[in-house]
Amino acid sequence: MLKTCIFPAAGYGTRFLPATKALPKEMLPILTKPLIHYGVDEALEAGMDNMGFITGRGKRALEDYFDISYELEHQISGTKKEYLLSEIRTLINRCSFTFTRQNEMKGLGDAILKGKILVGDEAFGVVLADDLCINEEGVGVMGQMVKIFEKYRCTIVAVMEIEKDQVGNYGIISGNEVEENLIMVNSMIEKPSIEEAPSNLAIIGRYILTPDIFGILENTKAGKGGEIQLTDALLAQATNGMVLAYKFQGKRFDCGSLDGFVEATNYFYKKNV
Ligand code: G1P
């Protein structure tokens, strides 16, 4: 029922310079798979097969990654190495991939708005590939959120508890529990100070958004950092309707930071050997 997943991927990835000077940060590999591949896997597992990317200048490698490389495939066809491409080949066959650009860096809210053309008038998923999520116990985070969406039919954001001194790095929510691990949001602030933070529940990069978010984003003024913040639009949606925050099952690696990236690499390496 939810067909489309949007991947905002226009950011510079300055924390990984100089590697990200000529390589999209979403293409940085955790072992042999780029970060974006993990995100697409998660969306597909959740039943979404229409993958929409909001890219920008210097991000063409993403388009090439989700396309067939005839020369390469011809070269390794019939050799021992052929299996190395089979996973991405299967993924390409199962999904469609569409790309549009955010030509100015005006924030996550603006990036999502640019995705309107890829979505149409229906609810959709959003994956921020920097946040690598896995659930060893079963269904992935987006799949868990789809189940909640099927019941409540409203916008859902994934949240996790963080250390209080980290609140300034995230959108922070608070509200009332409606079910175990499910909170009806009544307050939400993008990257608050410790004093301003309404809780220690941080939004991580998984969302299911109802399409009215586009109209709200069109009327959302620049907020924190002079950027159009998705968090501000979500607060308007929560105030006029309903937004649920879901404390997901599983583990999240902050692959937008060096520590998280190394942690994820070690984790997957240990799992593979
Ligand atoms: C974005 C969002 C923030 C959210 C975070 C999750 O921030 O604006 O609300 O908590 O992603 O990773 P960014 O990390 O792009 O600064």
Side-chain angles (χ1 to χ4, degrees):
M1 177 203 31
L2 285 163
K3 294 195 297 258
T4 304
C5 190
I6 291 291
F7 299 83
Y12 295 129
T14 46
R15 271 182 280 181
F16 286 87
L17 282 170
T20 46
K21 185 169 172 246
L23 179 79
K25 64 172 174 161
E26 297 78 13
M27 289 300 296
L28 291 170
I30 301 294
L31 305 190
T32 55
K33 279 200 310 191
L35 274 172
I36 194 78
H37 188 140
Y38 291 88
V40 170
D41 276 346
E42 189 186 324
L44 184 62
E45 185 215 36
M48 301 164 189
D49 59 7
N50 182 26
M51 309 299 173
F53 299 82
I54 322 297
T55 68
R57 290 178 290 281
K59 298 277 187 169
R60 282 193 202 157
L62 286 167
E63 292 177 51
D64 291 339
Y65 186 72
F66 292 110
D67 197 355
I68 292 166
S69 169
Y70 282 106
E71 202 180 314
L72 180 63
E73 301 207 11
H74 176 73
Q75 281 291 330
I76 68 169
S77 157
T79 74
K80 284 198 304 251
K81 292 184 179 162
E82 204 170 354
Y83 77 97
L84 293 169
L85 283 179
S86 61
E87 189 181 343
I88 179 69
R89 195 61 201 256
T90 308
L91 193 65
I92 291 169
N93 289 338
R94 291 182 64 192
C95 311
S96 67
F97 302 91
T98 321
F99 298 82
T100 190
R101 281 191 180 200
Q102 184 189 23
N103 45 23
E104 278 180 280
M105 302 295 269
K106 292 201 289 192
L108 180 59
D110 179 65
I112 301 289
L113 195 50
K114 291 285 182 296
K116 185 178 177 183
I117 193 158
L118 308 178
V119 173
D121 193 25
E122 48 188 55
F124 59 101
V126 176
V127 167
L128 307 183
D130 283 357
D131 285 327
L132 203 170
C133 295
I134 52 126
N135 179 22
E136 287 180 347
E137 319 286 294
V139 182
V141 177
M142 190 55 90
Q144 296 167 35
M145 292 169 74
V146 166
K147 289 213 177 90
I148 297 165
F149 177 79
E150 281 165 358
K151 182 166 172 193
Y152 289 95
R153 305 265 161 179
C154 68
T155 283
I156 299 152
V157 300
V159 292
M160 66 183 269
E161 283 174 21
I162 54 155
E163 297 295 331
K164 200 83 199 196
D165 63 359
Q166 294 295 309
V167 291
N169 296 323
Y170 297 93
I172 304 294
I173 69 109
S174 69
N176 307 314
E177 199 160 76
V178 288
E179 268 184 44
E180 200 187 354
N181 295 328
L182 201 58
I183 297 148
M184 194 188 294
V185 174
N186 57 29
S187 163
M188 196 182 268
I189 311 180
E190 180 68 8
K191 304 193 172 91
S193 64
I194 295 181
E195 297 73 43
E196 286 171 320
S199 78
N200 67 336
L201 280 175
I203 303 173
I204 65 116
R206 299 291 181 280
Y207 307 79
I208 290 176
L209 302 176
T210 51
D212 54 311
I213 197 74
F214 294 124
I216 301 172
L217 280 167
E218 274 158 14
N219 293 307
T220 300
K221 303 221 159 43
K224 197 97 192 177
E227 297 187 331
I228 297 171
Q229 296 295 348
L230 179 60
T231 303
D232 294 343
L234 289 171
L235 178 60
Q237 210 179 26
T239 309
N240 300 317
M242 180 159 87
V243 170
L244 292 172
Y246 170 58
K247 284 196 228 170
F248 60 93
Q249 309 289 309
K251 198 167 166 50
R252 169 259 187 179
F253 299 97
D254 174 14
C255 292
S257 77
L258 275 178
D259 285 351
F261 192 88
V262 172
E263 199 192 330
T265 303
N266 288 333
Y267 174 86
F268 282 95
Y269 184 68
K270 283 196 193 111
K271 243 177 76 160
N272 268 24
V273 286

